[in-house]
Amino acid sequence: AMNMVSELVDDVSKDRGFFAALFASYRSLSEDGLISCSLTFSRSPARSYVKPAAIVLLTGQSIRAHSAVRDSRDLAESAMKALRATLARYKREYLDVLSSLDEPKPVAVVILQGRALSLEEIRAVVSDGSEYREVKIPIKNPEWSIEDLPPKIVEEVRLVVVNPFKSGMPFAVKGAFITGPPGVGKSVMAEALANALGLKVVELKPFTYRSMWYGATEKMLNAIMSQVFRRRRELAVVIDDAEFLSSRKYTIHEAHLSELSTILYHLQRSDRPFTILTANNPDLVDPALLRPGRVDVTILVGYPDKEMRRKALLRNASKYRVRFASEKVVDYVVNNTSWYSLAELDALLRLAASKGSGTVGLDEVEWARRKIVVSPTERRSIQDYLRWWSTKVQGIVIAYIPTEVEVE
Ligand SMILES: Nc1ncnc2c1ncn2[C@@H]1O[C@H](COP(=O)(O)OP(=O)(O)OP(=O)(O)O)[C@@H](O)[C@H]1O
Ligand SMILES: [Mg+2]
């Protein structure tokens, strides 16, 4: 913040110099919070026209620009108060100077995106063929929360998964499998679940650990897993689109089998971290991965009902700072997106917002809707398949499979 201040004031105060007072307060960086508020004063002898300036740094995904600007005045004032208190203790001679100045004006409000601040990673080094290979996997702070999930299953997820885990019950669920058609929010749910459990996310992706050398893939996997296991109280493992771990039913390549068996081995250790798998096509995932003891709960996610479409639409509109021309537009979108996935609903919103330069009216929605073609017949049968599949699952099932009436 001080660097920015100096850039800003340097020109006007070349031969006069300036003072800056940095006033900082930290809250958790993963939450919304103030990082710093700095005040700057010119050292000019003609104090009468000196105006103190404040630069405010905030962090957080959900901070809106206009409320940040409004709050920044209060922040600048409390920074001024804090400065006054400090001067009263250590530099009384400056107190008069300070009282002769105007109220500080915020000249800049900077909002940092919280996610960019997460630089943690898992590192593993193993010998790969004739050389050493290092793999770094970023540790992600989840952005989605359990409140973003379909209201119909939030309570059940809390009761079955979150509460027992958080209270450290020995019988707590330690693995979840999330399945459903493309774009319905499985990856989002995996993240939200980790968030609700108070865990950060390490995603196991094949391209990070697979090697062309015999035995090196397993070695790398073991090295990664041992890092993750050590930090199991703070990390969840997410295996997104787990179809890539090909099932023994379909694979004959020995390398793939041994990769799968390495993962199976780790997932049945009693000291394993919470593990979440997702897949579009549950039939392609090896049943051994999904049996109770590795995966204790299966969450089935179907195409969203109206209630969920409304919730997702409003959340994403606020995320992209999109305005609706009227309340009617929201109803119109919700009522005319039956059988859309949440990804398609999101695409519709973004398309319409691009056309309307940030404001979405009925015309924009109609225009965007023509570009996203959805076949209700096909979607109904996918939803039916999911419902049928839910009857075959071993272990606990949490199902969000809205009926035709709820969707349409
Ligand atoms: N709970 C939610 N609230 C609002 N929007 C959501 C939600 N879940 C998903 N979305 C929207 O849908 C998009 C796709 O979600 P996600 O990537 O989780 O789907 P998926 O089921 O994992 O898809 P795939 O099968 O292709 O991996 C997200 O980028 C987001 O825009
Ligand atoms: Mg996904």
Side-chain angles (χ1 to χ4, degrees):
M2 291 237 252
N3 282 344
M4 283 186 228
V5 175
S6 65
E7 295 262 315
L8 209 82
V9 242
D10 212 24
D11 272 356
V12 277
S13 56
K14 271 245 156 52
D15 41 19
R16 293 181 254 143
F18 60 91
F19 294 123
L22 185 71
F23 167 81
S25 118
Y26 285 92
R27 275 195 256 153
S28 155
L29 289 185
S30 61
E31 281 172 26
D32 295 347
L34 170 71
I35 293 192
S36 83
C37 172
S38 86
L39 298 174
T40 309
F41 310 91
S42 156
R43 199 168 37 188
S44 155
R47 275 175 214 115
S48 52
Y49 64 81
V50 172
K51 287 201 165 58
I55 292 202
V56 180
L57 256 80
L58 300 158
T59 170
Q61 296 283 323
S62 52
I63 294 182
R64 306 268 205 88
H66 62 267
S67 61
V69 169
R70 197 183 53 224
D71 294 345
S72 65
R73 262 180 229 123
D74 295 344
L75 291 170
E77 257 171 50
S78 30
M80 195 73 159
K81 263 194 207 134
L83 182 62
R84 197 168 288 129
T86 311
L87 290 182
R89 270 177 88 171
Y90 302 109
K91 288 267 176 213
R92 297 198 68 87
E93 63 271 33
Y94 287 110
L95 269 179
D96 284 349
V97 181
L98 197 67
S99 12
S100 71
L101 300 177
D102 296 345
E103 284 302 310
K105 264 222 173 81
V107 291
V109 178
V110 183
I111 302 174
L112 301 174
Q113 298 287 299
R115 196 155 65 135
L117 296 166
S118 152
L119 296 170
E120 263 192 295
E121 56 194 15
I122 290 278
R123 300 171 98 186
V125 184
V126 298
S127 70
D128 186 6
S130 56
E131 54 189 48
Y132 280 88
R133 186 157 77 105
E134 184 181 39
V135 163
K136 295 181 190 167
I137 305 179
I139 296 177
K140 196 173 164 203
N141 279 322
E143 273 172 52
W144 295 88
S145 90
I146 192 165
E147 302 300 337
D148 296 321
L149 299 183
K152 288 209 171 67
I153 57 164
V154 168
E155 236 358 83
E156 209 177 341
V157 171
R158 279 217 178 92
L159 276 176
V160 175
V161 188
V162 179
N163 297 350
F165 183 88
K166 289 204 96 170
S167 45
M169 297 297 174
F171 49 81
V173 164
K174 276 190 145 178
F177 175 53
I178 306 173
T179 186
V184 291
K186 299 180 296 295
S187 306
V188 164
M189 185 177 282
E191 215 179 291
L193 193 56
N195 197 354
L197 298 171
L199 303 170
K200 295 178 190 168
V201 169
V202 172
E203 220 185 292
L204 210 54
K205 293 188 172 131
F207 63 83
T208 53
Y209 64 79
R210 271 188 192 156
S211 162
M212 62 185 269
W213 301 104
Y214 189 79
T217 301
E218 297 85 318
K219 218 191 276 178
M220 182 55 90
L221 258 175
N222 286 330
I224 293 169
M225 287 302 206
S226 81
Q227 302 276 331
V228 179
F229 272 54
R230 225 173 285 154
R231 300 174 63 178
R232 64 180 178 278
R233 278 180 227 297
E234 41 165 335
L235 301 179
V237 177
V238 172
I239 306 181
D240 211 1
D241 303 311
E243 291 98 338
F244 74 75
L245 289 170
S246 32
S247 162
R248 284 170 294 182
K249 235 192 292 185
Y250 302 106
T251 194
I252 43 164
H253 199 291
E254 136 183 43
H256 286 155
L257 285 178
S258 107
E259 174 186 337
L260 180 65
S261 71
T262 307
I263 291 187
L264 286 176
Y265 162 72
H266 287 292
L267 292 192
Q268 73 182 22
R269 285 168 57 179
S270 60
D271 59 344
R272 67 190 185 278
F274 198 96
T275 307
I276 308 169
L277 294 96
T278 79
N280 280 330
N281 190 339
D283 285 327
L284 292 182
V285 180
D286 196 290
L289 269 172
L290 304 182
R291 77 158 174 70
R294 297 199 177 95
V295 159
D296 307 299
V297 59
T298 301
I299 308 179
L300 298 144
V301 195
Y303 289 104
D305 54 12
K306 280 191 182 173
E307 181 191 27
M308 184 56 201
R309 293 205 298 270
R310 178 179 300 272
K311 188 172 170 182
L313 183 70
L314 295 177
R315 190 206 190 270
N316 291 340
S318 126
K319 180 169 90 187
Y320 304 133
R321 303 200 178 96
V322 168
R323 285 176 307 276
F324 292 104
S326 75
E327 195 57 35
K328 254 192 265 157
V329 180
V330 176
D331 292 338
Y332 185 82
V333 175
V334 172
N335 291 328
N336 289 282
T337 47
S338 305
W339 299 109
Y340 271 50
S341 68
L342 292 176
E344 286 156 342
L345 185 65
D346 183 57
L348 177 97
L349 174 69
R350 284 172 20 210
L351 259 175
S354 317
K355 181 153 168 55
S357 318
T359 305
V360 173
L362 289 179
D363 290 347
E364 285 78 22
V365 175
E366 258 322 293
W367 177 82
R369 226 162 61 85
R370 279 198 292 274
K371 310 225 173 283
I372 301 172
V373 182
V374 164
S375 150
T377 328
E378 184 212 3
R379 301 272 155 114
R380 270 188 216 110
S381 74
I382 296 177
Q383 198 92 315
D384 285 343
Y385 173 79
L386 193 65
R387 201 169 285 119
W388 169 79
W389 201 83
S390 73
T391 61
K392 300 200 305 175
V393 183
Q394 311 173 41
I396 311 163
V397 177
I398 298 178
Y400 173 72
I401 312 177
T403 61
E404 276 179 37
V405 177
E406 289 166 330
V407 173
E408 291 165 8

